[in-house]
Structure formats: C-alpha cells, structure tokens
Amino acid sequence: MTRHGPTRRAFVLGACASPLAACALPGGGDPPQLYTLTPKSTFPPDLPQADWQLAVELPVAAGGLDSARIALQRTPVTVDFFARAAWTDTVPRMVQTLLIESYENTGRIVAVSRDSAALRPDYLLKVDLREFQAEYFEPGPPKAHVRLSLRLVRMPERTILASFTHAERVTAARNELPAIVAAFDDALGVTMRRSVEWTLRTGHAQRRR
C-alpha cells in the first residue's frame, strides 16, 4: 500500500534488533525489546474548531490483541507473537493514549481525556480495535494491519450519533522488527488521522443541527 504523508519513525526503547522467531515471550533470559509508536501531529488546516469535550474509551480488543505482545499471523486463522519483543503497554492502552494525544495535537478541541478521568464529556468515543498484527500472508516482508471501528456517542443520553471504520495495511521495508514497527507506526498514523478528522467533522455537524 502506498504510504500517506511524510514517513514517520517509531521510537525504540532498549537494545537493537531482536530475533523474528514467532513464539510467545520467554519467561526467562534476556528481557524483551520494548517498542512504542507515535501520535499523529499533522492535520488538514480546515478542521473545524470543537467547542465541546470528548472522552475516549479504552478500546475493546479480542484476547490475542489485548496484550503487550506484538502479534503476527502467518495464516488468517492463526495468531502468534514475536519472540523477546513487546509494546511498552497493552495494545488497547497504547492506542487510547496515542488517540488522545492526536486529538490534542490538532489544537482544535476544548478538552479530551480518558473516559475514566474526572471529565463531563459532551461526546464519548467508543473504540473497537479489530486488527493490529503483522501479516505474513505473502512472500517477502509482512504487512502491518491496523483497523479501528469508532462510534460517537452523545452524552449524557448515550445516543449513538454515527459510526466509522478505517483499515490500513503498510508493507514493512524489511523483515526486521524495527522496520515492522515503523510499518505499524505508519498504518496506525493514517488510521488515527482519519479517525480524528471524522470525529471533529461529525461532532461539528451535530452541534450545528
């Protein structure tokens, strides 16, 4: 897939490359290599100003993704994990944090926070994390596959106003973990940008009605 926008780099914490053997993280030996991703910081200049507050729920994910392990799939019906490698937080919590930072980076919203914070939001964003794995379905380096499904809920009535889904696949430059993480960063970055734009435009349209 063609990458959108400028190339972004993931931050890497700890020592360099770790093996790509597909297995669960070992209980002993060397500590896992830790990786994190970056929030989105570039947005269209015509985004509307949001005079409302937003709470972002912790994303709901299937068991294989509700983990700090970096998932991979060699077939559509199997799930495995990279050896001695992990995200710095569970995938749902990492995505929630990056989404909140991305909304803040627009400079167009009054307030945004986790749904557990002491905020009385005008809208609640419910997030389903449907895909977040490296896929080895074809020869060559894997594709980082990210898919989010969103629902914008008006508070306090808890009325669902609209829904949105975006999926992105980005092929890693090489079959090495730093390159695979960079592909995750690009795929999640495009998905978050689309999600943030949709939320602000949808909320703006609803407030005008």
Side-chain angles (χ1 to χ4, degrees):
M1 175 173 290
T2 301
R3 296 189 181 184
H4 300 259
T7 301
R8 293 150 57 247
R9 291 290 178 263
F11 294 109
V12 181
L13 307 180
C16 289
S18 65
L20 292 182
C23 62
L25 294 174
D30 294 336
Q33 170 76 57
L34 298 181
Y35 294 91
T36 190
L37 303 178
T38 58
K40 189 63 184 171
S41 58
T42 56
F43 295 93
D46 63 342
L47 277 181
Q49 186 71 37
D51 60 350
W52 37 270
Q53 299 183 106
L54 176 71
V56 179
E57 274 196 349
L58 183 68
V60 175
L65 298 180
D66 193 6
S67 166
R69 295 178 294 178
I70 303 176
L72 67 89
Q73 287 188 288
R74 297 189 181 278
T75 74
V77 296
T78 60
V79 178
D80 215 326
F81 304 95
F82 289 107
R84 294 185 294 281
W87 302 115
T88 55
D89 205 341
T90 65
V91 175
R93 289 190 180 278
M94 180 176 66
V95 170
Q96 182 190 39
T97 298
L98 293 172
L99 271 172
I100 290 170
E101 292 180 12
S102 297
Y103 283 107
E104 291 173 340
N105 289 343
T106 66
R108 300 298 181 93
I109 189 165
V110 170
V112 57
S113 74
R114 304 176 192 275
D115 63 317
S116 59
L119 177 74
R120 299 184 64 180
D122 300 290
Y123 296 103
L124 175 69
L125 189 70
K126 301 180 75 69
V127 184
D128 286 343
L129 181 63
R130 302 289 176 82
E131 311 285 350
F132 206 89
Q133 69 276 340
E135 296 176 345
Y136 286 86
F137 298 164
E138 301 171 0
K143 289 181 171 64
H145 185 186
V146 174
R147 180 160 66 106
L148 297 181
S149 181
L150 312 178
R151 285 169 290 167
L152 189 62
V153 179
R154 183 172 58 210
M155 302 294 285
E157 303 94 331
R158 291 193 170 269
T159 302
I160 297 176
L161 300 176
S163 59
F164 173 81
T165 298
H166 185 83
E168 198 75 21
R169 286 184 174 91
V170 174
T171 302
R174 299 172 303 283
N175 189 25
E176 299 173 0
L177 263 173
I180 294 168
V181 170
F184 269 109
D185 202 44
D186 286 341
L188 180 61
V190 173
T191 304
M192 289 194 300
R193 186 183 70 205
R194 302 294 189 205
S195 299
V196 169
E197 292 172 4
W198 171 81
T199 306
L200 295 183
R201 296 189 193 282
T202 302
H204 179 71
Q206 291 292 331
R207 300 287 278 192
R208 293 183 62 185
R209 291 180 181 175

